[in-house]
Amino acid sequence: MKLYWVWVVIPFLLLQVVNGILGFNETELSFIEAYDYGISKLNHNPLMVGLTLITSAAAKGAVCLDGTLPGYHWHRGYGSGANSWLIQLEGGGWCNNIRICVYRKKTRRGSSTYMEKQIPFTGILSEKAEENPDFFNWNRVKLRYCDGASFTGDSENKAAQLQFRGQRIWLAAMEDLMSKGMRNAKQALLSGCSAGGLASILHCDEFRNMFPTTSKVKCLSDAGLFLDAIDVSGGHTLRSIYSGVVGLQGVRHNLPRMCNVHHDPTSCFFPQNLISNVHTPLFILNAAYDSWQIQSSIAPPSADPLGLWHDCRLNHAKCSASQIRFLQGFRIQMLNAIKGFSMSRQNGLFINSCFAHCQTERQDTWFAGNSPRIRNKAIATAVGDWYFDRAGVKVIDCPYPCDNSCHNLIFS
């Protein structure tokens, strides 16, 4: 008998307090991720890895929103993994206007001053073979996210004392890691979760071009397939926020050129308009009923003034039949968005019918005895099979509620 796994995710108290002081609404808070989706629920004694600040970044103008140095956490590879590198780009929403960016620069999402000095490495970052069978002994790096535009912006707002330097942070971090041995990589994987998953798509080909053609280089996007979806009011909440990010942070010039030829800059921040033109092998891992997109794009409070979606937004078990039909439509839109992408033999795909968001860094969803599966294949196994060319992996789950291996998220 299989068990249903449900995790209760609680907003950070700090954000609730700031909400009261600065007047942020729930929708605005969601864009800086008031919930910690990536926290592991299984590993009780994880490896703790210290923060390294990139001291060479200041001279390049590669700084966080508040002007502090960016940083990363690095655990050295060894043995057969000594010359293999996994770069995990941290997620954490976006900031699309001055008010939210000013708030953000007083948090770990905008300043290294507030970043944890040590963080747990779990899931795809774990050092244990029984938790991370294919990448446990690689060089594993988590690049911290402190710009608010998925590592793509390059501008500033002097009046508000804001630096939008995500692209420079990305380049400075890669240069620093190259000097510490990554230039010798025989194998490399660029990964990321949420806003970091979007960044792994945006920077995938750029990453590939940093290595010799003899190196095996691929990319993985976890929960980064943000759709240009219509919300429950008939509007385009996420398009509105992306338009603000792209305009405010000077993102346009760092978007893929091919996309800019055919689409407006905001459209080129949506993965559905990018993935078919990524030349490097790319694996897309996403929940068909992505929790963050349900809360913040499809049914945010701003699109639901009467609160008809409030309970459903926080707990899928409380959705009405008509609300489930709406969410099934979102799933179909996601499947349509990946049709062209999935035709390429080099690409990989794992779309499970869960109410989840970010499944690579959580040990319980990445690789465990009860982790989510499609056709009896766990996420870690699917990613490993695809990366090492052991098998082609393009698996799409049946629609909700057929999958009882999900670790669904419930919010309070």
Side-chain angles (χ1 to χ4, degrees), residues 107-407:
T107 75
R108 61 194 171 107
R109 303 295 193 207
S111 170
S112 57
T113 300
Y114 301 97
M115 290 177 185
E116 307 91 329
K117 303 312 177 192
Q118 288 188 320
I119 62 169
F121 268 28
T122 60
I124 198 171
L125 296 174
S126 174
E127 86 290 8
K128 299 174 182 177
E130 64 271 23
E131 296 178 347
N132 188 22
D134 285 309
F135 307 107
F136 70 95
N137 65 345
W138 283 32
N139 291 278
R140 300 170 326 284
V141 178
K142 184 164 186 176
L143 179 58
R144 301 304 296 269
Y145 179 39
C146 64
D147 64 279
S150 289
F151 298 94
T152 59
D154 194 9
S155 67
E156 64 180 334
N157 186 296
K158 292 182 178 179
Q161 297 183 313
L162 288 167
Q163 294 291 319
F164 304 121
R165 304 299 185 187
Q167 179 71 18
R168 297 190 191 192
I169 292 171
W170 155 257
L171 292 173
M174 293 305 102
E175 183 177 325
D176 190 67
L177 292 168
M178 284 290 185
S179 73
K180 293 180 177 177
M182 193 168 73
R183 64 163 58 97
N184 301 316
K186 305 299 182 187
Q187 301 178 120
L189 176 61
L190 177 65
S191 180
C193 152
S194 193
L198 170 58
S200 70
I201 295 171
L202 288 163
H203 289 296
C204 184
D205 285 339
E206 195 177 351
F207 185 69
R208 159 70 271 184
N209 292 333
M210 293 176 180
F211 299 91
T213 56
T214 52
S215 298
K216 186 185 191 76
V217 182
K218 298 187 179 184
C219 306
L220 164 63
S221 173
D222 175 14
L225 190 60
F226 297 98
L227 299 182
D228 190 4
I230 296 174
D231 62 39
V232 295
S233 71
H236 288 81
T237 295
L238 192 52
R239 170 165 281 273
S240 176
I241 203 81
Y242 275 8
S243 177
V245 173
V246 170
L248 177 66
Q249 297 216 29
V251 168
R252 178 174 187 169
H253 299 296
N254 295 318
L255 295 171
R257 292 180 184 177
M258 185 61 71
C259 185
N260 275 326
V261 170
H262 300 287
H263 299 282
D264 63 274
T266 300
S267 294
C268 291
F269 209 60
F270 281 100
Q272 66 199 70
N273 299 317
L274 303 171
I275 54 178
S276 292
N277 293 314
V278 175
H279 301 295
T280 307
L282 173 63
F283 191 104
I284 290 179
L285 162 64
N286 229 93
Y289 312 96
D290 185 285
S291 296
W292 189 92
Q293 293 191 64
I294 291 173
Q295 289 192 347
S296 306
S297 174
I298 301 171
S302 58
D304 179 36
L306 298 180
L308 301 178
W309 278 79
H310 178 269
D311 291 346
C312 174
R313 186 167 64 243
L314 300 179
N315 182 353
H316 66 280
K318 296 183 179 179
C319 296
S320 68
S322 63
Q323 289 170 333
I324 289 294
R325 284 196 296 273
F326 192 94
L327 297 179
Q328 299 291 20
F330 175 78
R331 173 182 177 271
I332 291 171
Q333 183 181 351
M334 182 177 291
L335 298 187
N336 287 335
I338 58 175
K339 277 184 178 178
F341 168 86
S342 65
M343 293 176 66
S344 172
R345 291 183 62 186
Q346 70 176 9
N347 293 331
L349 199 60
F350 192 104
I351 306 293
N352 56 352
S353 291
C354 303
F355 290 79
H357 185 73
C358 289
Q359 300 180 87
T360 54
E361 287 186 54
R362 290 171 54 120
Q363 194 60 54
D364 62 293
T365 50
W366 173 246
F367 192 71
N370 49 30
S371 55
R373 282 167 166 74
I374 302 178
R375 301 176 195 167
N376 205 34
K377 184 171 286 194
I379 293 169
T381 306
V383 172
D385 284 351
W386 164 79
Y387 184 88
F388 293 102
D389 303 309
R390 296 189 295 247
V393 180
K394 293 188 178 74
V395 288
I396 297 174
D397 218 348
C398 47
Y400 172 83
C402 72
D403 188 343
N404 64 357
S405 72
C406 289
H407 292 204

Side-chain angles (χ1 to χ4, degrees), residues 21-43:
I21 297 173
L22 297 183
F24 286 115
N25 61 45
E26 188 179 341
T27 302
E28 289 176 317
L29 280 177
S30 71
F31 287 113
I32 47 180
E33 288 200 1
Y35 305 99
D36 199 345
Y37 292 97
I39 189 169
S40 181
K41 302 294 181 181
L42 192 66
N43 192 325

